[in-house]
């Protein structure tokens, strides 16, 4: 793990290219460090000036006896490599390069950046940038940035670590955090990532005691292993990670031979990674900061459990208290969408509410109605009763404009204070208009305030998930599944014939349609009769993946005569494939009778490695694009989630009068397919089973494609 | 159309139950009207006091010589009917009843409300409420409400009319509008809607000169005709309507006989209504107010056109200018999702930008990079060039924290002012942090400011759609499609056998599989041989809709012998349906060979009348639930949209090597089915064709269900 201590907790900071003008790029860090109370030693480095902004300057680090912890380099690109050599001579431990003109400009910049990186590596210098806006440690007042923003005010000190590839976004995020009173611990922008990646910062923050929540802004990831390690570290530390990931690059021409090569954008793979590590993904900046606020400030629900509908989800019972029936319904719709249970109000509290307001609704949402204008105590009693009831994990109260209203606020304060002191009450989340001072008062007592009622309900689901993930991190790590011993495949093979693929799958313990390879028509009949009619007869050639396109597939073959005709047809089909195609024979396979088609596959992502995909097969693959993704090898839980997310499960649970099929067993087939692919290691390019036919006895592979890299495969 | 002038523009206002205590329900309207500058006559009505809050009071309206325009009634429920009689004697034109205890409490309250309504109707009194928070006309300072909120400040006067069924929501909305500087014209809460519905207020606002944008909050609608008329009026007036509709009630047990009765929640029907009238739907309160802000303040794009992908959508080319590459990508992702074209920067401007910042991106997004910190003029030049280029309809600029930064603001002001004065520049939308004063300055010059960059891009799409809708309202109204002459059906029939349904569809000009009705096996063979093998043989009984459940369907019947066997099977299947089922014969139909199944149907919604639904048929109906809805009869454009929205179109455009099918012709079949259903008028309960098989020659109905109401049908 990269050590960021010298970067983020330096005792001495040298500023190379320090400027006597405080608002220049080279002057700003000196100004920020001086004015905003950095307690360590600041060493301006200036070619001629003896003093920079009131601090003694040196002409070079070479005159120092001791190494600097951190050097901030604000020099033109032409002087950067010399500066790096100077750091090396000094023994400086970490460097921030603001300098632009490196890889982002292409051409020579790429080579210069490579040299900068090499120098840093050779001398053990932790490198941030180049072309970055720098970093801050707000607790220790380290301002290694040329952004003037800290001068106009700092966000409160807090437990949110923020890391951004983009400097402009980082600056904006700093301003938004300040405005939203989001408490920050660290702020880091990684720019060109010649040294440190966003992933490295996440990993360091995962181990940093001052940080409880990590916000990361990502434009792309070049090193999947590094990101996965970082996210695993955060998960193990029980620290929620919120990611905004923008940018969708073309998945490119990879796996062009596969049936469904065009199925997924790269984004689905990122999502699979985020799912794997429990990352909270934000699709807008609003979501990004709101998730940060909720996770940083929000108390976790008192209790939670896996969702009955979707065991991979976490749910918690919530009380919805509202002064507006309609907004109550809106919140209930949201709760239903998030699968949050809404148990009814405890009977005693319900009776009390009804006796005070006869037409109040004591179901959940608990609608105290507009009567609270004249009977505010009824509202407060309802909130208190819900918060004290063990039936609820959290309480969300929509008070419209009433949160801070003079008739309500004093009583609300008393109620919130009492519940807070009790130490056992459910967390409170308010939705409504309230001024900043009252909001801070509520937040200091563990209550969240969100303007949008739907967001308050979402916040409960987010906090339940964070609580469950933190608890899971405390528990023993799951034992990883035993690796599957898949039979070896010839080293020179780059794609398997369907027969070879089916044989290999069978050997891996994956259920396949009964099948055999026939070299001639007589053998085809023998195989068909041993399987039983009807059968499918398919061309077997490692050169032809899309057999049906060349007339190489005959289905529903009903008797011996038809088998002979079919054999002749597929044998003759082979030469039609442009160049002469090899003819291995004809695959004769039983026609599996089922009522639905699934697909499952594994393919190699250039950044993140093996990715499994599964869903409804056949025509629906193209039309509905509901294929679900997961990192291979899959866990059983992930495979179950994929079954649900792709809606494939609908085919398994007594669909249209068909018998129900054991979904766990189907998920286990997904797991096994992913393990089989993983067992091939770097050799695997694509493995796809489509269709995987749903029958009363479970799923059966009826077609398979396997493509490989020759030899030892790609290096990954 | 109900006349709301007496309610919203009264010259005299009587307050029945006026209180001498200004903060009581009966005192607040007197206080608000007096303190906030209502210019008309205020008449407090008080049983004993001669003076109420400094105004001369009367003991009853009976002492007046002239009728009041508006009476505000703040009396207990027990005194309400007497009060209404008093208004009738006086000739009062409109009444607001704050009083709760009516229908919302059930029991006697329902009867009392009916009597209140009857009195109002009998005497021509426009009734708002009861159980409502009242109404305001901000321009004329009419405060017919007991909400104290106007005392703490009014939102700016503007062109947004806001109507809410919920008082609590209405109060919250008022506070949020004030906070967001959303300019309001009117504010109305409708409560129990004994007289005026939300729909009536929408319709009145559609004709009100002070209102350009209508925001409506709806919990439910009991009168679909009224709402449709109101939305049609707003559409005709070119005024955008933003609706938040909460609450999903069970669709209930209707159409229980249909295959797909469980397909759709009522919400899909509301959405179909909103789609029909171009309503902007907001799913959260955030969206509701943001749409109001955007539509009220936002300049429409300079030009727009129907989307190439989806002709029902409006798109406009947009320039994305950004100081952050990543946020640029985020905005571009959003633009792509909304189908907004991103033409590249004009060449001269691109050259200028590149010469100033060599590594700037001059594609679109136009990334001026973080260099603007030192070269702010480059940013301003890029914005100006884009706004002046005819290539763009709008310009969205993400400036992060820089909008109001000292280095940028003066130049930005100059640029915005110049562009604004030119009168020809594209509208500007800024995303970034800016203080309220600067924001107002920008808004006064037609520029919008949105914090979230994705929202700024969405705003462009919203404004383009509003512009297109307003332009369409100016154009001649579309001639409605000629009614289809559907053959009569027997008056006592409540469901058709499949044969009768197919015959009727054929007569309506809808393509059906070749078919005939066989009374005996010989006739079945004759029909089969005239059609050609293979055929399907199906039980025809008006008593049995789910034929396959009783073994009443035999598919792929290949020869005469098999037809005889199949006839015997389905004939014998009839009696198995519990009670003796009628046997009309066997439908013999050609097996249509296609590569996909669609479905199309029409059913009756209790509120909105006939609703058409269409999408992928067969198994996918249950699994993917992508069925699209539209009001019947469908327009051709709506049918095309439904083809796309349901993804059914994927089966038509050369799917998996099949020939492309004329999607327009398929849409026309949808239209015709909806017209055939509409031709049956109130008799129609459900019409459903599933599957509608996709073949190279177009779509063919292979099964149909028609259920009817007996006699003249339901009254609607």
């Amino acid at each position: 793990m990269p050590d960021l201590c010298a970067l983020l907790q330096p005792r001495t900071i040298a500023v190379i290219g320090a400027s006597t003008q405080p608002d220049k790029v080279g002057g700003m860090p000196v100004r920020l460090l001086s004015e905003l109370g950095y307690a360590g030693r600041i060493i301006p480095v200036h070619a001629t000036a003896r003093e920079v902004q009131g601090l003694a300057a040196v002409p070079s680090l070479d005159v120092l006896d001791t190494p600097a912890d951190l050097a901030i380099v604000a020099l033109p690109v032409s002087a950067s490599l010399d500066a790096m050599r100077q750091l090396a001579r000094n023994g400086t431990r970490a460097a921030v390069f603001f300098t632009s003109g490196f890889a982002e400009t292409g051409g020579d910049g790429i080579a210069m950046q490579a040299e900068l990186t090499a120098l840093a590596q050779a001398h053990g210098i932790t490198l941030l940038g180049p072309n970055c806006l720098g970093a801050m440690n707000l607790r220790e007042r380290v301002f290694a940035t040329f952004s003037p923003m800290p001068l106009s005010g700092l966000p409160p000190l807090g437990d949110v670590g923020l890391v951004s590839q983009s400097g402009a976004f980082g600056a904006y995020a700093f301003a938004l955090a300040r405005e939203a009173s989001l408490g920050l611990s660290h702020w880091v922008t990684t720019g060109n990532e010649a040294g440190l990646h966003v992933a490295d910062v996440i990993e360091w923050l995962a181990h940093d005691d001052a940080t409880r929540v990590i916000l990361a802004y990502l434009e792309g990831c070049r090193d999947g292993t590094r990101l996965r390690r970082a996210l695993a570290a955060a998960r193990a530390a029980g620290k929620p990670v919120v990611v905004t990931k923008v940018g969708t690059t073309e998945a490119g021409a990879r796996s062009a031979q596969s049936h469904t090569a065009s199925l997924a954008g790269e984004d689905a793979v990122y999502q699979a990674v985020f799912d794997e590590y429990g990352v909270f993904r934000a699709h807008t900046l609003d979501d990004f900061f709101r998730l940060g606020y909720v996770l940083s400030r929000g108390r976790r629900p008192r209790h939670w459990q896996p969702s009955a509908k979707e065991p991979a989800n976490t749910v918690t019972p919530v009380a919805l208290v509202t002064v507006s029936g309609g907004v109550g319904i809106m919140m209930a719709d949201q709760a239903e969408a998030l699968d949050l249970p809404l148990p009814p109000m405890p009977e005693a509290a319900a009776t009390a509410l009804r006796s005070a307001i006869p037409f109040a609704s004591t179901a959940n949402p608990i609608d105290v109605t507009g009567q609270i204008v004249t009977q505010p105590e009824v509202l407060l009693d309802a909130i208190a009763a819900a918060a004290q009831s063990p039936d609820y994990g959290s309480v969300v109260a929509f008070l419209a404009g009433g949160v801070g209203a003079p008739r309500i606020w004093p009583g609300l304060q008393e109620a919130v204070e009492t519940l807070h002191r009790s130490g056992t009450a459910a967390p409170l989340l308010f939705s409504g208009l309230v001024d900043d001072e009252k909001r801070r008062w509520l937040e200091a007592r563990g209550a969240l305030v969100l303007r949008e009622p739907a967001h308050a309900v979402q916040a409960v689901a987010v906090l339940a998930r964070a609580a469950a993930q933190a608890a899971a991190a405390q528990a023993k790590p799951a034992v990883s599944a035993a690796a599957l011993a898949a039979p070896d495949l010839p080293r020179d093979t780059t794609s398997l014939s369907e027969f070879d693929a089916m044989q290999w799958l069978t050997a891996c313990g994956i259920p396949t349609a009964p099948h055999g390879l026939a070299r001639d028509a007589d053998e085809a009949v023998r195989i068909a009769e041993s399987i039983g009619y009807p059968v499918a007869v398919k061309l077997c050639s490692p050169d032809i993946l899309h057999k049906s396109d060349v007339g190489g597939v005959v289905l529903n073959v009903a008797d011996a005569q038809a088998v002979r005709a079919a054999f002749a047809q597929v044998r003759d089909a082979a030469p039609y494939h442009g160049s002469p195609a090899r003819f291995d024979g004809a695959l004769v396979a039983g026609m599996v009778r089922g009522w639905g088609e699934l697909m499952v596959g594994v393919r190699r992502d250039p950044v993140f490695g093996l990715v499994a995909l599964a869903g409804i097969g056949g025509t629906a693959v193209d039309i509905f694009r509901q294929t679900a993704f997961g990192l291979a090898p899959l866990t059983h839980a992930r495979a179950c989630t994929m079954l649900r997310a792709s809606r494939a499960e609908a085919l398994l649970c007594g669909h249209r009068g068909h018998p129900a099929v054991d979904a766990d067993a189907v998920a286990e087939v997904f797991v096994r397919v992913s393990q089989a692919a993983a067992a091939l290691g770097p050799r695997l390019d694509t493995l796809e089973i489509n269709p995987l036919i749903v029958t009363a006895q479970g799923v059966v592979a009826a077609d398979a494609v396997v493509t490989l890299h020759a030899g030892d495969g790609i290096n990954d």
Side-chain angles (χ1 to χ4, degrees), chain A residues 262-332:
Chain A
S262 63
L263 272 188
E266 201 176 35
D267 196 67
V269 177
Y270 276 96
Q271 190 58 54
V273 173
F274 297 152
D275 289 345
E276 179 83 13
Y277 296 100
V279 168
F280 294 84
R281 185 165 188 187
H283 286 280
T284 64
L285 302 191
D286 270 4
D287 287 348
F288 188 67
F289 287 99
R290 194 175 56 254
L291 284 168
Y293 167 75
V294 166
L295 289 164
S296 161
R297 301 264 184 174
R299 283 178 54 208
R300 275 45 176 170
R302 282 191 301 190
H303 43 85
W304 64 84
Q305 63 275 339
S307 159
K309 282 194 206 159
E310 166 55 82
N313 284 358
T314 306
V315 299
T316 183
V318 57
L320 304 176
V321 181
T322 180
V323 299
S324 154
V327 175
I329 297 168
M330 201 180 229
M331 295 194 295

Side-chain angles (χ1 to χ4, degrees), chain A residues 243-632:
Chain A
V243 168
T244 287
K245 152 77 181 65
V246 302
T248 49
T249 60
E250 254 63 64
R254 86 172 162 279
S255 309
Q257 284 190 305
S258 161
H259 288 187
T260 46
S262 63
L263 272 188
E266 201 176 35
D267 196 67
V269 177
Y270 276 96
Q271 190 58 54
V273 173
F274 297 152
D275 289 345
E276 179 83 13
Y277 296 100
V279 168
F280 294 84
R281 185 165 188 187
H283 286 280
T284 64
L285 302 191
D286 270 4
D287 287 348
F288 188 67
F289 287 99
R290 194 175 56 254
L291 284 168
Y293 167 75
V294 166
L295 289 164
S296 161
R297 301 264 184 174
R299 283 178 54 208
R300 275 45 176 170
R302 282 191 301 190
H303 43 85
W304 64 84
Q305 63 275 339
S307 159
K309 282 194 206 159
E310 166 55 82
N313 284 358
T314 306
V315 299
T316 183
V318 57
L320 304 176
V321 181
T322 180
V323 299
S324 154
V327 175
I329 297 168
M330 201 180 229
M331 295 194 295
D333 285 348
Q334 186 67 55
E336 197 180 310
L338 296 167
D339 206 13
L340 299 178
L342 298 175
M345 207 175 181
E347 194 43 47
T351 306
L353 174 54
R354 269 193 304 263
S355 75
I357 304 178
F359 51 94
S361 168
T362 56
N364 190 359
I366 299 160
D367 180 4
V368 298
T369 81
Q371 283 300 107
I372 58 135
V373 174
T374 48
Q375 296 168 264
E377 69 288 355
V378 176
L379 166 71
L380 303 173
D381 289 350
I383 292 173
Q388 284 159 345
S389 161
D391 296 352
Y392 301 115
S394 302
V395 177
V396 174
F398 173 70
L399 305 191
V403 184
R407 278 181 225 230
I408 293 173
W409 178 244
L412 188 67
Q413 276 186 300
E414 200 185 314
V416 169
E417 187 75 55
T418 305
L419 291 169
H420 178 58
R421 289 219 183 119
S422 79
T424 57
L428 302 175
L429 300 94
F430 292 102
S431 177
L433 263 187
V434 59
D435 64 34
D436 282 349
E437 190 191 337
K438 293 191 174 73
R439 182 163 65 83
R440 278 194 292 273
W441 189 93
L442 290 167
E443 286 169 357
R445 279 143 196 93
L448 289 188
V449 184
L450 294 127
R451 172 154 326 170
E452 170 71 49
H455 290 163
V457 178
Q458 283 166 19
V460 170
V462 164
L463 290 166
R465 191 179 134 195
Q469 289 181 183
Q474 293 288 317
K476 286 262 176 223
V479 179
S480 25
L484 184 137
D488 276 347
L489 292 169
R491 287 176 62 83
D492 58 343
T493 305
T494 56
S495 71
L496 301 188
S497 75
E498 183 176 341
F499 175 73
D500 289 338
M502 295 284 270
Q503 288 289 99
W504 182 77
L505 288 175
T506 308
C508 292
I510 293 153
T512 54
H515 62 277
L517 182 68
R519 315 281 162 168
D520 58 39
D522 288 341
E523 194 175 6
V525 171
R526 272 199 304 279
I527 295 169
E529 294 187 341
S530 77
I531 291 171
Y533 292 105
V535 295
V537 178
K538 306 189 200 177
L539 168 62
C540 261
S541 165
D543 300 327
I544 301 177
L545 281 179
H546 295 291
K547 300 173 288 285
S548 53
D549 290 358
V550 298
V553 175
V554 187
L555 301 176
N556 283 309
V557 182
D559 55 34
Q561 188 186 345
V563 166
R564 288 179 195 283
F567 185 89
Q569 176 183 329
V570 306
R571 185 193 54 215
D572 296 346
Y576 284 97
H577 187 58
S579 60
R582 285 170 282 175
F583 177 66
D584 287 355
L587 176 76
V588 179
M591 292 294 298
V592 178
R593 289 175 200 287
W595 59 85
E597 297 184 351
L598 306 185
M599 66 80 59
V600 57
V602 177
R603 55 164 218 229
R604 179 171 302 283
D605 180 82
V607 176
F608 293 104
L610 293 186
V611 178
L613 48 167
I616 305 270
T619 299
V621 177
D622 294 343
I623 294 180
F624 291 106
R625 297 179 178 269
Q626 288 269 0
T627 312
F629 287 70
L631 297 182

Side-chain angles (χ1 to χ4, degrees), chain A residues 166-193:
Chain A
S166 155
F169 175 80
Y172 192 45
F174 184 87
L176 289 177
R178 187 172 58 200
E179 216 209 28
S181 294
L182 186 70
L184 291 189
S185 59
H186 301 85
W187 175 96
V188 182
T189 67
T190 56
N192 287 7
E193 301 199 332

